[in-house]
């Protein structure tokens, strides 16, 4: 199981009323209950910051589970660009058959009704609804 993680609108409300990564602890708390799940960063932050810098934003135990960033599909005129980048990553990593979820606040980055998307309210970021949905998906995968 792989979690593809967006930052803006997920780890903080999109408009950042209290700064950035204000909800990081909520995300990390859930992930600690699913220790075998890998994390890949799909946020546009990956375009400005190398992977070690992105990892350093997280707590040490979670940092170790951030295995990569998705490729940047420049020149790929795909309407569902983030889903396309995720599928590129899955193919390149040889993990195309694996279960995955994307936590993201931008629906149009994904195909309509993409079953892998956990859509987050951009105004609140990661909230209890997100947590419940994420736990439901991760729990289901561990029994698959
Ligand atoms: Mg976002």
């Amino acid at each position: 199981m792989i979690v593809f993680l967006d930052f803006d609108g997920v780890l903080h409300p999109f408009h950042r009323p209290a700064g950035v990564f204000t909800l990081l602890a909520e995300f990390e708390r859930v992930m600690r209950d699913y220790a075998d799940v890998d994390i890949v960063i799909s946020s546009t932050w990956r375009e400005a910051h190398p992977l070690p810098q992105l990892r350093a934003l997280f707590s040490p135990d979670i940092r170790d589970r951030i295995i990569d960033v998705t490729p940047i599909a420049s020149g790929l005129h795909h309407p569902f660009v983030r889903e396309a980048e995720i599928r590129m990553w899955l193919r390149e990593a040889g993990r195309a058959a694996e279960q995955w979820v994307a936590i993201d606040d931008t629906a149009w980055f994904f195909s309509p009704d993409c079953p892998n998307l956990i859509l987050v309210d951009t105004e609140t970021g990661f909230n209890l609804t997100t947590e419940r949905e994420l736990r439901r998906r991760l729990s289901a995968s561990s029994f698959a």
Side-chain angles (χ1 to χ4, degrees):
M1 175 58 108
I2 306 156
V3 168
F4 292 90
L5 181 67
D6 181 32
F7 285 4
D8 297 321
V10 174
L11 297 183
H12 41 259
F14 188 80
H15 296 290
R16 307 179 181 186
V20 294
F21 302 107
T22 50
L23 303 168
L24 177 62
E26 308 304 311
F27 169 74
E28 292 188 332
R29 192 169 46 78
V30 175
M31 293 307 295
R32 286 190 182 102
D33 290 339
Y34 304 92
D36 57 341
V37 176
D38 291 331
I39 302 164
V40 175
I41 304 300
S42 55
S43 165
T44 52
W45 282 58
R46 75 198 195 287
E47 298 176 28
H49 304 277
L51 182 56
Q53 278 183 23
L54 298 175
R55 276 202 182 109
L57 299 165
F58 291 78
S59 301
D61 61 321
I62 301 297
R63 190 179 302 165
D64 293 342
R65 297 167 55 187
I66 301 175
I67 58 170
D68 206 355
V69 297
T70 50
I72 296 161
S74 57
L76 176 65
H77 299 291
H78 195 289
F80 315 126
V81 61
R82 197 154 285 178
E83 183 177 344
E85 290 166 339
I86 288 169
R87 294 191 186 283
M88 283 171 61
W89 186 91
L90 288 164
R91 276 195 304 276
E92 288 169 9
R95 298 178 71 169
E98 205 161 324
Q99 295 188 65
W100 60 274
V101 294
I103 310 174
D104 208 296
D105 65 318
T106 306
W108 54 269
F109 282 167
F110 296 83
S111 55
D113 303 315
C114 174
N116 307 82
L117 174 61
I118 299 175
L119 185 62
V120 179
D121 182 342
T122 192
E123 299 297 332
T124 66
F126 194 97
N127 62 18
L128 192 56
T129 304
T130 317
E131 174 173 347
R132 286 183 178 139
E133 183 61 17
L134 181 57
R135 286 185 181 281
R136 190 181 71 78
R137 307 275 191 117
L138 300 184
S139 298
S141 83
S142 65
F143 294 107

